[in-house]
Amino acid sequence: MNLDQILLLASIVVPALVSVLLFSGLIDKDELAKQLAFLGLGFPCLAGIVLFINFDGSTDGYSFEFLYEEMGLQDLGITFHLGLNGVSSPLFAMAGIVGFAAGLAAIGSGAERIKLYLALLCFMQSGLMGLFASVDLFFYYLFHEFALIPTFIMIGLWGGRDRRSVALEITIYLTLGALISLGGLVALNVMVDAVKFDFPTLSKALLEAGLLESTEAKIFGLLLLGLGILVALFPFHTWAARGYEAAPTSVSMLHAGVLKKFGLYGLVQIAVPLLPAGAAEWSPWLMWLALGNVLFVGLVTVAQNNLKSMVGYGSVMHMGYCFLGIATISSLGAGSAVMLMVAHGLSVSLMFLLSTFIYRRSGTFEMNDMGGLAGKTPVLACFFVAASLATIGLPGFGNFWGEFGVFLSLGQNPDHHFFLGLAALGIIISAIFGLRAVARIFFGSSSDALTERASKNPIRDLELGEVLPAGLILAALLFIGLWPRGISDRIDNEIGLRYERVDYVGLSQFTPACCLIEPGGVDSNQSSSNEGDEPTIEPLSPTTDH
């Protein structure tokens, strides 16, 4: 094993070992538990950044591959296979950064039963890193479940208002979504009887098998329903905002920022490239449901007075843009969705973190009971303004490039111009709730409740332990915003290779049949009318230039 392979494997193993140590009861001091958690959550962050830098974006397929076949499941085609490609590499790094920031927030939170809290958080982080590193679909799904189980427990034990009922609701929704998506993955493997249950083998087997369009549509429908529930696709979104409002800060950061990308990642990496005809059939339905996220949930977000609830609904709203990019059935749309997934993961986790910092100073999440905090906490105000502008999609932050690419992908297809017009309204909605939150919290006059609280407990600005996690996430957002090619080149290369068939199917949705050319083939009308000639028509190539 070389250093990169060791880092890839250790990014999963180290937090898992720390979690086992904390669960074992061998660590009896809270300070030692915090130091171990710092290691367990800091190492994946460092490994993710190093592997992101070392990744060769021009390489086809997976890098840093680690394969262990003797799992006892090899007869079923299941192997422990890790690796990173152009899509998973930035998401893997993002998961490490958000996990470390969430860990720093947890260490300084003063939560009760801190050892159990940090043990569950490390266990969750191990699952998140394994999710994006898995090449085998069985472990891709299994690591997701590893990350999901601590979510239920931590909301039930450390959550806020109505935490028990919220934990039960989330358990029902997400378990149902996970089971439906598992059914789709199993159906995918059964229909082609692939030798291995991993991405490359399934891709090759499906290409050779040539499934019927009706079969593709059924399997894609299963995956879309299951993964859509996990990502809070409208109208299966109601669990998300309530869950984030009740969850402790670190859980909200990890779930909304990282774990909720599981479904989108599955659609981009598995469902659309392997089942392009099924994706094309479901595309109109997905367009309308995604607009439900953008417009309906966006208007609900505007109506929120609770800061944490507003951030939760805003997160669900912006998932709609990712779905719109995927629904275009194009390499441009899919690549833009991946960029937005990375940027959204960073920005929403930063918003949840800053919301908790505001709560510690104001004693409430109700924005009507705040006001005038900018004069007392200028550093906090700068961070919150930056995070709000990133969420809105201001140029200079990573979210802008993702949303801009989604709009371009909608504009490529004349049939999608109507959806483009409606989706653009989401920019106005985001600006309304984002800028209004800034004004109500940091500017104007302080509320009577806040003034009374400040007279008893002077309000202080951010401390170093709070600036570090917020600054880490903001730096990553600015990196993507100011140098988008840092991640877009590797995404474009991978998406362009995997989406050649997808681009052709997407094109065929609005191009007359007489004008279509099969990839690698010739126009049927021309070949039949000129049998003696040898036409030299170039095969259709995917559009991958972002």
Side-chain angles (χ1 to χ4, degrees):
M1 293 177 64
N2 57 36
L3 178 60
D4 290 329
Q5 291 174 316
I6 292 172
L7 288 176
L8 182 64
L9 180 61
S11 65
I12 303 169
V13 173
V14 170
L17 288 177
V18 170
S19 177
V20 171
L21 276 175
L22 295 176
F23 275 126
S24 67
L26 298 175
I27 309 301
D28 57 350
K29 294 182 179 179
D30 289 349
E31 286 304 316
L32 182 56
K34 292 178 181 179
Q35 292 171 7
L36 281 173
F38 185 86
L39 171 65
L41 295 165
F43 185 86
C45 176
L46 179 63
I49 294 173
V50 171
L51 292 176
F52 178 84
I53 295 172
N54 291 347
F55 184 86
D56 185 359
S58 63
T59 303
D60 297 342
Y62 289 87
S63 298
F64 324 128
E65 288 190 72
F66 174 84
L67 177 62
Y68 181 71
E69 296 184 289
E70 303 300 323
M71 296 294 298
L73 299 171
Q74 56 269 23
D75 291 341
L76 299 175
I78 296 172
T79 57
F80 187 66
H81 191 178
L82 303 179
L84 296 177
N85 64 7
V87 172
S88 59
S89 171
L91 290 166
F92 185 82
M94 182 269 288
I97 292 171
V98 173
F100 185 45
L104 292 175
I107 290 170
S109 65
E112 298 179 355
R113 290 174 288 181
I114 189 67
K115 287 184 288 186
L116 178 60
Y117 189 98
L118 294 174
L120 289 167
L121 206 62
C122 288
F123 190 78
M124 187 175 184
Q125 182 66 15
S126 176
L128 292 173
M129 303 307 290
L131 187 162
F132 294 117
S134 292
V135 180
D136 190 283
L137 267 66
F138 174 81
F139 282 97
Y140 158 76
Y141 181 86
L142 187 65
F143 278 121
H144 170 261
E145 297 306 299
F146 283 169
L148 193 59
I149 293 172
T151 304
F152 309 143
I153 299 173
M154 296 178 79
I155 292 176
L157 293 178
W158 291 279
R161 184 180 57 187
D162 300 327
R163 61 180 183 271
R164 300 293 171 82
S165 61
V166 170
L168 179 62
E169 180 184 9
I170 289 180
T171 301
I172 294 172
Y173 265 102
L174 298 187
T175 302
L176 178 62
L179 289 174
I180 294 175
S181 60
L182 177 62
L185 294 175
V186 171
L188 196 61
N189 188 54
V190 169
M191 291 304 298
V192 296
D193 193 23
V195 178
K196 289 185 179 180
F197 196 36
D198 58 26
F199 291 99
T201 306
L202 274 177
S203 299
K204 182 179 179 181
L206 281 166
L207 189 61
E208 294 174 351
L211 294 180
L212 296 174
E213 290 187 10
S214 59
T215 304
E216 284 196 22
K218 291 173 183 176
I219 298 176
F220 186 88
L222 272 177
L223 291 172
L224 178 61
L225 177 60
L227 298 175
I229 292 173
L230 295 173
V231 188
L233 176 64
F234 180 87
F236 309 107
H237 67 282
T238 53
W239 61 268
R242 292 188 67 226
Y244 299 147
E245 183 181 352
T249 302
S250 297
V251 176
S252 297
M253 293 172 66
L254 283 176
H255 195 284
V258 185
L259 188 57
K260 201 160 66 170
K261 306 303 181 288
F262 168 83
L264 294 168
Y265 178 75
L267 290 173
V268 171
Q269 282 271 60
I270 306 170
V272 177
L274 300 188
L275 305 166
E281 184 165 333
W282 282 96
S283 173
W285 294 95
L286 183 55
M287 285 275 184
W288 284 110
L289 294 179
L291 281 180
N293 281 73
V294 174
L295 299 179
F296 179 80
V297 180
L299 293 175
V300 173
T301 308
V302 172
Q304 301 305 307
N305 182 57
N306 183 286
L307 175 58
K308 203 171 183 183
S309 180
M310 185 204 77
V311 176
Y313 277 108
S315 169
V316 176
M317 172 199 171
H318 285 93
M319 287 293 93
Y321 288 119
C322 296
F323 279 115
L324 282 172
I326 294 170
T328 60
I329 318 299
S330 67
S331 56
L332 176 58
S336 302
V338 175
M339 285 199 70
L340 186 54
M341 286 160 60
V342 177
H344 176 271
L346 295 167
S347 62
V348 73
S349 60
L350 180 58
M351 286 292 287
F352 276 119
L353 181 63
L354 296 174
S355 298
T356 299
F357 293 163
I358 292 171
Y359 173 80
R360 291 176 184 174
R361 286 152 179 82
S362 63
T364 180
F365 283 113
E366 299 299 319
M367 291 184 283
N368 287 339
D369 296 332
M370 302 179 192
L373 279 176
K376 303 178 180 65
T377 58
V379 177
L380 176 57
C382 289
F383 271 107
F384 192 85
V385 169
S388 299
L389 295 178
T391 302
I392 294 169
L394 189 77
F397 296 97
N399 306 62
F400 168 77
W401 298 109
E403 292 184 13
F404 183 63
V406 170
F407 291 148
L408 286 179
S409 67
L410 288 169
Q412 280 186 330
N413 186 337
D415 293 344
H416 295 162
H417 288 178
F418 174 73
F419 296 98
L420 172 60
L422 292 178
L425 296 176
I427 301 174
I428 301 174
I429 295 174
S430 298
I432 291 173
F433 70 72
L435 297 178
R436 189 177 68 173
V438 171
R440 293 168 73 181
I441 296 170
F442 291 99
F443 299 100
S445 58
S446 299
S447 66
D448 294 339
L450 185 61
T451 302
E452 182 179 354
R453 178 181 175 85
S455 64
K456 299 177 182 178
N457 301 295
I459 298 176
R460 298 180 180 180
D461 209 348
L462 294 182
E463 300 175 354
L464 180 61
E466 296 171 319
V467 170
L468 286 177
L472 177 65
I473 298 176
L474 183 59
L477 269 174
L478 289 172
F479 166 77
I480 301 173
L482 299 177
W483 191 44
R485 288 194 65 180
I487 69 170
S488 66
D489 284 351
R490 66 187 65 191
I491 294 173
D492 288 352
N493 183 67
E494 178 66 26
I495 291 291
L497 293 172
R498 294 180 63 81
Y499 274 61
E500 183 173 353
R501 290 174 62 227
V502 176
D503 278 324
Y504 174 77
V505 171
L507 179 69
S508 67
Q509 288 184 289
F510 60 92
T511 302
C514 62
C515 302
L516 282 176
I517 301 173
E518 292 285 350
V522 297
D523 178 59
S524 58
N525 292 334
Q526 183 174 352
S527 62
S528 61
S529 59
N530 301 284
E531 292 180 356
D533 300 332
E534 293 184 9
T536 56
I537 301 178
E538 294 295 328
L540 186 67
S541 60
T543 303
T544 58
D545 184 12
H546 287 204

